[in-house]
Amino acid sequence: MSRLHGKLAVVTGGNSGIGFAIAQRFAAEGAAVTITGRRQAALDTAVAAIGRGVTAVQGDVTSEPDLDRLAAAVQAQGRKLDILVVNSGVAEPAALGEIEPAHFDRILDTNTRAALFTVQKLLPLMGEGSAIVLVGSIAGFIGTPGFTAYNASKAAIRSFARTWARELAPRGIRVNTLSPGPIETPIFDTANDEFREMIRQMVPMGRFGRPEETAAAALFLASDDSSFVTGAELCVDGGAAQG
């Protein structure tokens, strides 16, 4: 049985990695899915790979006009938005003492500021029974060295979920955080073998996670299976942050 039959979902950053896996799983479960991304070619590839049930809106989540276009495209579908997955994000290292204002602004604008305004822009389209899934990271609470801005941006995401879960409860909207650990996505494509081995050793299960495993957790938080879950954080990390 399709767990999202008849649902309308938006997945930001749905053209690759975790976002793509989530969009693909949601479509397979019967949802009509709209994905976003900055690169039209990547969006076209994702739409072709997912197939039926998915559409794409090109845009940058840090751009208010682009968020307006996304909201207009969703509204044009003529029904309420049931699921919003805020997934767009960037991760770039910079050691303390070497952090430039441009680096800090880029990370916080994309990961934190854009998350807030994406939710705020699409919130009027959501009704009772809707679900918001904010994609955080275990980096938000384990303090990975060399990632000051990124860690802070993901800690803010967790704070958003706690606040919004209470604020939106009277409207019947649930808000939860999905926090992955090391997942085999394009972000690790350029990592050398030494770094990848160091990451693997951090994980009690001894491996990177797969995007599909993160998508399965997102499905739980987005579906009625988690109807009494809000303000929570679900870590998909192979135990990396649980010791």
Side-chain angles (χ1 to χ4, degrees):
M1 182 177 179
S2 297
R3 292 158 72 183
L4 300 181
H5 177 72
K7 302 284 189 180
L8 178 60
V10 167
V11 181
T12 67
N15 58 323
S16 66
I18 290 172
F20 172 79
I22 292 173
Q24 187 173 48
R25 182 63 186 271
F26 283 10
E29 293 286 343
V33 185
T34 296
I35 62 174
T36 73
R38 290 178 296 178
R39 296 173 291 129
Q40 187 64 55
L43 287 170
D44 293 342
T45 299
V47 169
I50 296 171
R52 186 176 179 180
V54 64
T55 58
V57 177
Q58 187 277 331
D60 186 334
V61 290
T62 66
S63 164
E64 185 173 0
D66 286 1
L67 288 178
D68 285 335
R69 286 196 301 105
L70 172 61
V74 174
Q75 189 170 28
Q77 298 192 46
R79 48 183 168 149
K80 76 180 182 73
L81 177 61
D82 300 289
I83 302 162
L84 172 58
V85 179
V86 180
N87 167 73
S88 294
V90 293
E92 299 172 3
L96 187 62
E98 301 174 358
I99 299 171
E100 298 288 342
H103 164 84
F104 182 86
D105 291 345
R106 182 167 57 254
I107 300 297
L108 272 291
D109 281 352
T110 304
N111 295 1
T112 305
R113 182 180 181 277
L116 188 159
F117 286 105
T118 297
V119 171
Q120 190 164 272
K121 191 70 68 174
L122 295 178
L123 190 58
L125 307 180
M126 307 185 79
E128 186 170 353
S130 299
I132 298 172
V133 180
L134 306 177
V135 178
S137 170
I138 63 170
F141 58 89
I142 66 172
T144 312
F147 285 86
T148 292
Y150 178 75
N151 297 347
S153 74
K154 291 303 185 178
I157 292 296
R158 179 69 185 103
S159 179
F160 285 167
R162 288 190 175 102
T163 301
W164 296 344
R166 290 182 175 274
E167 192 166 346
L168 298 179
R171 291 182 50 180
I173 299 175
R174 298 182 299 107
V175 186
N176 290 291
T177 307
L178 174 63
S179 291
I183 306 296
E184 195 69 73
T185 61
I187 197 171
F188 288 108
D189 284 352
T190 59
N192 59 41
D193 291 343
E194 182 181 0
F195 180 76
R196 290 176 64 87
E197 183 58 29
M198 180 189 72
I199 296 295
R200 274 193 290 267
Q201 290 180 8
M202 292 170 52
V203 181
M205 292 184 69
R207 64 174 176 87
F208 282 69
R210 300 187 302 274
E212 295 78 14
E213 293 173 308
T214 308
L219 174 62
F220 168 72
L221 293 176
S223 73
D224 292 339
D225 289 348
S226 60
S227 57
F228 197 53
V229 180
T230 193
E233 181 171 28
L234 177 54
C235 295
V236 184
D237 66 350
Q242 311 312 314

